[in-house]
Amino acid sequence: MTVFQQERLLFTPATPETNAIPAIFAFPNEYTIGITSLGFQIVWATLAMRSDVDVSRLFTDLSETLPRNPELLGFSVSWELDYVNIFNLLESLDIPLESIDRQDEHPLVFGGGTVLTANPEPFADFFDVILLGDGENLLDSFIDAYQQVRNADRLTKLKHLAQVPGVYIPSLYEVTYHSPEGEISAIAPIDPDIPAAVEKQTYRGNTLSASTVVTEKAAWENIYMVEVVRSCPEMCRFCLASYLTLPFRTASLNDSLIPAIEKGLKVTKRLGLLGASVTQHPEFAAILDYLSQPQYEDVRLSIASVRTNTVTEKLAATLANRDTRSITIAVESGSEKVRQIVNKKLTNDEIIQAAINAKAGGLKALKLYGMVGIPGENMADVEATVSMMSAIKKAVPGLRLTLGCSTFVPKSHTPFQWFGVNPQAKKRLKYLEKNLRQQGIDFRPESYNWSVIQALISRGDRRLGKLLQLTREYGDSVGSYKRAFKQLRGQIPTLDYYVHDRWDSDKQILPWQHIQGALPQKTLVKHLDEAMAIASKSTLSEQFN
């Protein structure tokens, strides 16, 4: 039995028409990872339920039977470094890496997902079409528009598709620079018929996503995923998951969540509730009551990161009774000042109370997420994180504590997009590691070097296209990126420009300036100014104390 035959589908694929569009939908990683992506599942199922599309799936390690002459090749991109696999898959299909080299006989290469929606520019050379935002309406609009020009030449197709809201055609926009190593001077469409800006599409319904396939071969074996909320109302100022996906939307309990859960639990006993802030669903208590019914006592329940002050003893008990041993909360820092700067409305007392509730409800472990290098942070703030973790350990003896910690990475469409990565973050991670592990607290730092690469791609412009191709030849390491920058010296800006420099929020044209996110730039600047006012006030008070 093949991997695909072991899948249990929760939708009915259409029988393709004789003249259906031959298409490939790819995930640029292994099957076990790709099939666990809810976004990939939803797009694939949407295409497969259209009788005018004949879609086959492609992963790095296996594929369904692929059409000989596909007209569309799509990629779901959810991790920055998967671009290497995109290059490999394009080459395996004999498709030129760069869109400028493709002819009429080549498929249109399209992509979507968080990475491309946030900042498509580093990948602009490699995609003919990029879909920005939520796929619920956008995907069908894209396919419908393609049908209208299916037999036209490539440029005609692209110009027609550019008229669809949320469809971005990078080749139809020209980016100019003050100098090869300088800032962007302008971003403009090459034709007056092309929109000057492309607006990210936002689905505003209250029926959210749920798994379309369940398989034991998924990275999360046999899991059925249900999206409970989309975006987050907290608006932490560094957070892409909040700012990019606004407004905060919740799935209807009776029309969406319960029917979806019932459907999934007919084929599996493992349920995952997804969302950036699941426990802030207004009827979350009712969801817990529903899942506490006797018929679900053998269900294994997993919940994505939850807001700290919603961790009640009841929530912990429900999870413990459903075979969950730990819960994850994001605290960012043990410093009250830093939490105010990032707009994290949380006190240390609330964090300690969440730990007490977790233990009282029967959970065995608490995972916390933190960050170093946040703008305005100093060493005293890092020391405050050690103190906070010590206080939690003292309050809940026997509860296993883990702190996962990353380096602040600036993200587009957030108020902190103008900041760079703080080089001191590397030392601060080491400090936390030393001082927490000697207390028996599990510390799991994210690689500082990976954060540097993430920031490069997060704030990159389309000049990085050459660099990405070079790094693929040199190997997947920070050294490869430095070597590529050295080779391209004089042709593109420096690594520091993209990664560490503070950009000017008043004058500088951002690489994604022509992509309209959820909030206008003037609102992001206002939120930035509020954060910096808090940081300045704290600095002054520290100087006088």
Side-chain angles (χ1 to χ4, degrees):
M1 186 183 287
T2 69
V3 169
F4 296 115
Q5 288 171 327
Q6 293 176 55
E7 295 176 337
R8 283 160 288 169
L9 301 188
L10 290 107
F11 72 100
T12 304
T15 302
E17 300 163 0
T18 308
N19 195 33
I21 300 164
I24 298 172
F25 189 52
F27 191 91
N29 213 308
E30 296 177 354
Y31 172 85
T32 184
I33 296 169
I35 207 62
T36 313
S37 163
L38 185 57
F40 178 83
Q41 288 187 23
I42 296 299
V43 174
W44 162 58
T46 302
L47 294 172
M49 286 190 287
R50 290 187 65 128
S51 60
D52 61 347
V53 177
D54 187 358
V55 63
S56 302
R57 287 173 292 166
L58 170 65
F59 303 89
T60 56
D61 55 344
L62 52 93
S63 72
E64 294 176 304
T65 303
L66 301 179
R68 278 192 179 180
N69 297 300
E71 294 181 31
L72 296 175
L73 167 59
F75 286 95
S76 177
V77 187
S78 53
W79 194 48
E80 287 91 342
L81 291 190
D82 275 347
Y83 73 81
V84 174
N85 295 327
I86 294 174
F87 294 166
N88 294 340
L89 290 172
L90 286 170
E91 284 191 349
S92 73
L93 296 167
D94 291 325
I95 298 168
L97 289 191
E98 296 194 28
S99 59
I100 196 170
D101 296 325
R102 295 176 197 142
Q103 308 299 319
D104 284 347
E105 68 267 19
H106 293 120
L108 289 186
V109 178
F110 73 93
T114 307
V115 170
L116 293 178
T117 295
N119 178 18
E121 290 308 285
F123 312 100
D125 290 346
F126 314 114
F127 286 93
D128 299 303
V129 178
I130 292 174
L131 306 181
L132 302 174
D134 297 335
E136 277 85 352
N137 303 320
L138 178 54
L139 192 64
D140 283 331
S141 299
F142 165 62
I143 298 296
D144 291 346
Y146 176 77
Q147 283 283 25
Q148 294 165 5
V149 287
R150 186 177 173 189
N151 296 316
D153 64 83
R154 197 172 193 84
L155 184 58
T156 301
K157 287 176 183 173
L158 294 176
K159 285 187 172 182
H160 181 74
L161 290 169
Q163 306 305 319
V164 179
V167 174
Y168 173 46
I169 312 296
S171 61
L172 299 182
Y173 293 79
E174 183 182 18
V175 184
T176 52
Y177 309 93
H178 290 294
S179 69
E181 296 177 276
E183 295 175 8
I184 296 169
S185 58
I187 305 171
I190 62 171
D191 188 305
D193 295 333
I194 307 303
V198 188
E199 186 176 354
K200 180 191 85 73
Q201 295 303 285
T202 303
Y203 168 69
R204 297 179 183 273
N206 59 3
T207 299
L208 299 181
S209 302
S211 287
T212 60
V213 59
V214 170
T215 174
E216 63 182 29
K217 299 297 183 184
W220 296 337
E221 186 178 332
N222 284 324
I223 196 164
Y224 175 78
M225 298 171 285
V226 179
E227 188 183 19
V228 177
V229 299
R230 192 173 292 182
S231 193
C232 175
E234 294 306 311
M235 297 180 70
C236 294
R237 293 180 175 117
F238 59 83
C239 184
L240 186 70
S242 180
Y243 274 85
L244 183 67
T245 57
L246 288 170
F248 181 59
R249 287 146 287 165
T250 60
S252 165
L253 182 68
N254 294 315
D255 296 336
S256 177
L257 284 178
I258 288 178
I261 290 169
E262 288 177 343
K263 184 178 180 181
L265 293 183
K266 287 175 184 173
V267 299
T268 184
K269 296 299 181 186
R270 187 168 184 194
L271 176 66
L273 301 182
L274 303 189
S277 191
V278 171
T279 50
Q280 285 180 277
H281 189 288
E283 295 176 280
F284 190 75
I287 300 170
L288 286 186
D289 289 340
Y290 175 80
L291 291 171
S292 298
Q293 295 177 96
Q295 68 264 36
Y296 297 132
E297 65 184 6
D298 58 347
V299 169
R300 185 177 175 193
L301 178 62
S302 302
I303 296 184
S305 177
V306 300
R307 177 149 172 80
T308 304
N309 57 9
T310 61
V311 179
T312 60
E313 191 174 331
K314 177 183 176 181
L315 169 63
T318 302
L319 290 171
N321 291 333
R322 293 293 176 267
D323 201 28
T324 292
R325 294 175 185 173
S326 69
I327 198 167
T328 302
I329 59 175
V331 297
E332 314 320 340
S333 173
S335 162
E336 186 81 26
K337 176 195 90 179
V338 169
R339 289 198 297 265
Q340 287 180 351
I341 288 170
V342 301
N343 198 36
K344 191 84 176 179
K345 307 169 196 77
L346 198 58
T347 66
N348 279 8
D349 287 344
E350 287 174 311
I351 296 167
I352 291 170
Q353 189 61 52
I356 292 169
N357 292 347
K359 185 181 179 186
L363 293 174
K364 304 297 182 191
L366 177 67
K367 298 176 182 175
L368 301 95
Y369 276 130
M371 194 180 287
V372 292
I374 289 168
E377 174 195 82
N378 58 33
M379 202 56 209
D381 300 312
V382 183
E383 292 163 2
T385 297
V386 174
S387 300
M388 176 194 71
M389 294 301 296
S390 301
I392 298 171
K393 185 177 172 66
K394 188 176 177 183
V396 283
L399 187 70
R400 196 168 69 253
L401 296 179
T402 300
L403 177 66
C405 195
S406 61
T407 297
F408 162 74
V409 172
K411 295 290 185 180
S412 58
H413 307 286
T414 71
F416 284 0
Q417 64 188 351
W418 290 281
F419 284 106
V421 172
N422 186 342
Q424 294 298 314
K426 196 170 187 176
K427 279 188 190 171
R428 293 174 187 178
L429 287 172
K430 292 281 186 195
Y431 176 87
L432 288 174
E433 184 168 31
K434 179 184 173 186
N435 286 274
L436 292 176
R437 286 189 174 161
Q438 67 188 20
Q439 296 181 51
I441 295 170
D442 187 13
F443 181 67
R444 297 183 186 175
E446 193 172 273
S447 159
Y448 170 80
N449 287 343
W450 152 238
S451 298
V452 166
I453 298 169
Q454 201 182 6
L456 171 66
I457 295 174
S458 174
R459 293 214 297 175
D461 52 48
R462 57 177 66 183
R463 287 175 289 189
L464 286 187
K466 290 177 190 172
L467 182 107
L468 297 183
Q469 292 189 60
L470 275 178
T471 54
R472 178 194 179 207
E473 294 171 22
Y474 295 155
D476 183 13
S477 71
V478 172
S480 296
Y481 287 84
K482 288 180 177 174
R483 183 178 169 190
F485 269 107
K486 192 173 180 182
Q487 184 165 336
L488 294 171
R489 187 175 291 155
Q491 299 175 52
I492 65 171
T494 62
L495 176 71
D496 282 350
Y497 169 82
Y498 290 116
V499 173
H500 298 298
D501 286 1
R502 168 82 185 265
W503 288 356
D504 188 336
S505 59
D506 291 329
K507 303 174 199 161
Q508 195 158 343
I509 295 175
L510 300 169
W512 49 89
Q513 197 97 341
H514 55 310
I515 307 296
Q516 285 183 8
L519 294 175
Q521 187 158 307
K522 64 181 180 182
T523 303
L524 298 181
V525 171
K526 180 174 173 247
H527 291 189
L528 169 69
D529 290 344
E530 288 169 0
M532 289 304 91
I534 294 167
S536 299
K537 187 177 172 185
S538 299
T539 303
L540 284 171
S541 65
E542 286 162 8
Q543 289 172 351
F544 284 102
N545 287 324

